[in-house]
Amino acid sequence: MYLTARWFPGHLTPIDRDECLELLERNEVGRVAFSDSEGPLIMPVNHVMVGERIVFRTAPHTAIADHVGAGPMSYQVDEFDSFSSAGWSVLARGSAEFVDGVWLTAHDLRPEPWADGQRTLFVSITPTEITGRRVVPV
């Protein structure tokens, strides 16, 4: 016997900016996205919020580190329930820059990666646009 997701029709409703920021704050894992010479890349990272800035860690000489300052980045968090076909998604788009870990300590925040390895660089995405939408069953 297969256990499959049930499909319930739903509709999309927008999420306002304040709730988008709250959802970014409540969730510590998301995906950073950008394009390099080979095309789009999307990678999961752990983040913290400092005001409206999304901050995460990366290692030197990685695709993420090499792209900081080279073009726009996006960041997405989401949550979905396959059984009820409900969920939400928040997308932040903006520019990224390296920030000093001392700056984060002053805010009493430090993103802690789940994966092992030396991630000594702190990256901050300052969103120029934050949008969200929710799938609501009807």
Side-chain angles (χ1 to χ4, degrees):
M1 180 169 142
Y2 288 97
L3 190 62
T4 59
R6 296 176 63 191
W7 184 80
F8 298 99
H11 65 275
L12 291 175
T13 60
I15 300 173
D16 67 38
R17 184 180 180 91
D18 289 339
E19 186 177 0
C20 286
L21 289 168
E22 180 183 318
L23 291 168
L24 281 161
E25 181 79 36
R26 277 195 336 224
N27 291 271
E28 65 181 292
V29 178
R31 286 168 294 285
V32 62
F34 55 91
S35 288
D36 67 8
S37 61
E38 300 295 316
L41 286 172
I42 302 169
M43 298 177 188
V45 296
N46 301 79
H47 74 275
V48 295
M49 296 295 293
V50 179
E52 294 190 2
R53 297 169 78 171
I54 301 153
V55 181
F56 59 92
R57 292 166 65 172
T58 193
H61 312 294
T62 61
I64 293 174
D66 291 346
H67 189 76
V68 171
M73 280 192 176
S74 294
Y75 195 80
Q76 187 215 13
V77 295
D78 55 41
E79 186 174 290
F80 295 100
D81 179 347
S82 296
F83 182 77
S84 65
S85 299
W88 57 265
S89 177
V90 170
L91 177 66
R93 296 196 237 195
S95 59
E97 64 183 337
F98 293 112
V99 293
D100 191 318
V102 174
W103 176 78
L104 285 173
T105 303
H107 288 83
D108 199 27
L109 296 169
R110 278 217 185 263
E112 292 299 330
W114 289 357
D116 60 356
Q118 294 290 325
R119 289 173 177 77
T120 57
L121 300 177
F122 293 85
V123 178
S124 171
I125 297 176
T126 302
T128 54
E129 178 184 16
I130 300 175
T131 58
R133 57 188 185 167
R134 184 180 309 281
V135 177
V136 181
V138 287

mmCIF file of all heavy atoms in Angstrom, residues 54 72-75 91-95 125-131:
data_model
loop_
_atom_site.group_PDB
_atom_site.id
_atom_site.type_symbol
_atom_site.label_atom_id
_atom_site.label_comp_id
_atom_site.label_asym_id
_atom_site.label_seq_id
_atom_site.Cartn_x
_atom_site.Cartn_y
_atom_site.Cartn_z
ATOM 1 N N ILE A 54 20.469 39.237 6.649
ATOM 2 C CA ILE A 54 20.602 37.792 6.779
ATOM 3 C C ILE A 54 22.096 37.490 6.838
ATOM 4 O O ILE A 54 22.833 37.855 5.923
ATOM 5 C CB ILE A 54 19.947 37.077 5.585
ATOM 6 C CG1 ILE A 54 18.475 37.452 5.500
ATOM 7 C CG2 ILE A 54 20.136 35.569 5.675
ATOM 8 C CD1 ILE A 54 17.911 37.366 4.099
ATOM 9 N N PRO A 72 24.158 40.057 -7.468
ATOM 10 C CA PRO A 72 23.072 39.882 -6.503
ATOM 11 C C PRO A 72 23.008 38.455 -5.961
ATOM 12 O O PRO A 72 23.466 37.509 -6.600
ATOM 13 C CB PRO A 72 21.815 40.218 -7.311
ATOM 14 C CG PRO A 72 22.195 40.008 -8.729
ATOM 15 C CD PRO A 72 23.663 40.296 -8.827
ATOM 16 N N MET A 73 22.445 38.339 -4.754
ATOM 17 C CA MET A 73 22.176 37.041 -4.133
ATOM 18 C C MET A 73 20.730 37.036 -3.668
ATOM 19 O O MET A 73 20.164 38.092 -3.378
ATOM 20 C CB MET A 73 23.072 36.794 -2.927
ATOM 21 C CG MET A 73 24.456 36.338 -3.244
ATOM 22 S SD MET A 73 25.275 35.748 -1.726
ATOM 23 C CE MET A 73 26.804 35.167 -2.422
ATOM 24 N N SER A 74 20.176 35.856 -3.600
ATOM 25 C CA SER A 74 18.842 35.672 -3.028
ATOM 26 C C SER A 74 18.946 34.710 -1.867
ATOM 27 O O SER A 74 19.876 33.907 -1.788
ATOM 28 C CB SER A 74 17.875 35.096 -4.067
ATOM 29 O OG SER A 74 17.651 36.004 -5.110
ATOM 30 N N TYR A 75 17.960 34.798 -0.980
ATOM 31 C CA TYR A 75 17.899 33.889 0.158
ATOM 32 C C TYR A 75 16.447 33.476 0.339
ATOM 33 O O TYR A 75 15.544 34.312 0.272
ATOM 34 C CB TYR A 75 18.418 34.581 1.427
ATOM 35 C CG TYR A 75 18.717 33.597 2.511
ATOM 36 C CD1 TYR A 75 19.909 32.876 2.515
ATOM 37 C CD2 TYR A 75 17.805 33.345 3.528
ATOM 38 C CE1 TYR A 75 20.189 31.946 3.492
ATOM 39 C CE2 TYR A 75 18.086 32.423 4.512
ATOM 40 C CZ TYR A 75 19.279 31.724 4.493
ATOM 41 O OH TYR A 75 19.546 30.789 5.457
ATOM 42 N N LEU A 91 11.207 34.963 0.117
ATOM 43 C CA LEU A 91 12.366 35.202 -0.732
ATOM 44 C C LEU A 91 12.887 36.610 -0.477
ATOM 45 O O LEU A 91 12.130 37.583 -0.559
ATOM 46 C CB LEU A 91 12.000 35.045 -2.209
ATOM 47 C CG LEU A 91 13.112 35.338 -3.212
ATOM 48 C CD1 LEU A 91 14.233 34.311 -3.089
ATOM 49 C CD2 LEU A 91 12.551 35.361 -4.627
ATOM 50 N N ALA A 92 14.174 36.696 -0.156
ATOM 51 C CA ALA A 92 14.835 37.989 0.023
ATOM 52 C C ALA A 92 15.884 38.126 -1.074
ATOM 53 O O ALA A 92 16.670 37.206 -1.291
ATOM 54 C CB ALA A 92 15.489 38.067 1.396
ATOM 55 N N ARG A 93 15.883 39.255 -1.749
ATOM 56 C CA ARG A 93 16.887 39.516 -2.785
ATOM 57 C C ARG A 93 17.673 40.752 -2.424
ATOM 58 O O ARG A 93 17.123 41.714 -1.911
ATOM 59 C CB ARG A 93 16.203 39.768 -4.128
ATOM 60 C CG ARG A 93 15.458 38.601 -4.648
ATOM 61 C CD ARG A 93 15.186 38.826 -6.093
ATOM 62 N NE ARG A 93 13.781 38.780 -6.412
ATOM 63 C CZ ARG A 93 13.347 38.664 -7.644
ATOM 64 N NH1 ARG A 93 14.200 38.641 -8.640
ATOM 65 N NH2 ARG A 93 12.072 38.599 -7.886
ATOM 66 N N GLY A 94 18.977 40.705 -2.717
ATOM 67 C CA GLY A 94 19.788 41.878 -2.403
ATOM 68 C C GLY A 94 21.242 41.676 -2.715
ATOM 69 O O GLY A 94 21.613 40.830 -3.537
ATOM 70 N N SER A 95 22.062 42.439 -2.025
ATOM 71 C CA SER A 95 23.501 42.362 -2.234
ATOM 72 C C SER A 95 24.151 41.760 -0.988
ATOM 73 O O SER A 95 23.626 41.862 0.111
ATOM 74 C CB SER A 95 24.075 43.762 -2.504
ATOM 75 O OG SER A 95 23.788 44.616 -1.411
ATOM 76 N N ILE A 125 23.632 39.405 3.764
ATOM 77 C CA ILE A 125 22.807 39.819 2.629
ATOM 78 C C ILE A 125 21.881 40.919 3.124
ATOM 79 O O ILE A 125 21.119 40.725 4.075
ATOM 80 C CB ILE A 125 21.971 38.656 2.057
ATOM 81 C CG1 ILE A 125 22.891 37.558 1.515
ATOM 82 C CG2 ILE A 125 21.022 39.164 0.969
ATOM 83 C CD1 ILE A 125 22.147 36.326 1.009
ATOM 84 N N THR A 126 21.978 42.070 2.496
ATOM 85 C CA THR A 126 21.084 43.183 2.796
ATOM 86 C C THR A 126 19.996 43.188 1.736
ATOM 87 O O THR A 126 20.265 43.507 0.571
ATOM 88 C CB THR A 126 21.846 44.521 2.787
ATOM 89 O OG1 THR A 126 22.915 44.442 3.742
ATOM 90 C CG2 THR A 126 20.921 45.674 3.127
ATOM 91 N N PRO A 127 18.775 42.791 2.111
ATOM 92 C CA PRO A 127 17.709 42.687 1.112
ATOM 93 C C PRO A 127 17.269 44.042 0.577
ATOM 94 O O PRO A 127 17.125 45.000 1.324
ATOM 95 C CB PRO A 127 16.552 42.024 1.869
ATOM 96 C CG PRO A 127 17.157 41.422 3.079
ATOM 97 C CD PRO A 127 18.351 42.287 3.411
ATOM 98 N N THR A 128 17.088 44.096 -0.726
ATOM 99 C CA THR A 128 16.445 45.243 -1.353
ATOM 100 C C THR A 128 14.978 44.920 -1.621
ATOM 101 O O THR A 128 14.181 45.824 -1.863
ATOM 102 C CB THR A 128 17.135 45.604 -2.682
ATOM 103 O OG1 THR A 128 17.176 44.439 -3.514
ATOM 104 C CG2 THR A 128 18.548 46.111 -2.435
ATOM 105 N N GLU A 129 14.640 43.640 -1.548
ATOM 106 C CA GLU A 129 13.262 43.196 -1.755
ATOM 107 C C GLU A 129 13.031 41.946 -0.913
ATOM 108 O O GLU A 129 13.861 41.032 -0.899
ATOM 109 C CB GLU A 129 13.039 42.875 -3.233
ATOM 110 C CG GLU A 129 11.667 42.365 -3.550
ATOM 111 C CD GLU A 129 11.517 41.970 -5.018
ATOM 112 O OE1 GLU A 129 12.532 41.805 -5.720
ATOM 113 O OE2 GLU A 129 10.369 41.814 -5.438
ATOM 114 N N ILE A 130 11.932 41.919 -0.176
ATOM 115 C CA ILE A 130 11.520 40.739 0.581
ATOM 116 C C ILE A 130 10.068 40.469 0.252
ATOM 117 O O ILE A 130 9.206 41.345 0.432
ATOM 118 C CB ILE A 130 11.682 40.941 2.106
ATOM 119 C CG1 ILE A 130 13.129 41.239 2.464
ATOM 120 C CG2 ILE A 130 11.176 39.707 2.859
ATOM 121 C CD1 ILE A 130 13.350 41.568 3.939
ATOM 122 N N THR A 131 9.799 39.274 -0.265
ATOM 123 C CA THR A 131 8.432 38.899 -0.615
ATOM 124 C C THR A 131 8.133 37.520 -0.045
ATOM 125 O O THR A 131 9.040 36.731 0.228
ATOM 126 C CB THR A 131 8.223 38.857 -2.138
ATOM 127 O OG1 THR A 131 9.148 37.915 -2.711
ATOM 128 C CG2 THR A 131 8.432 40.225 -2.768
#
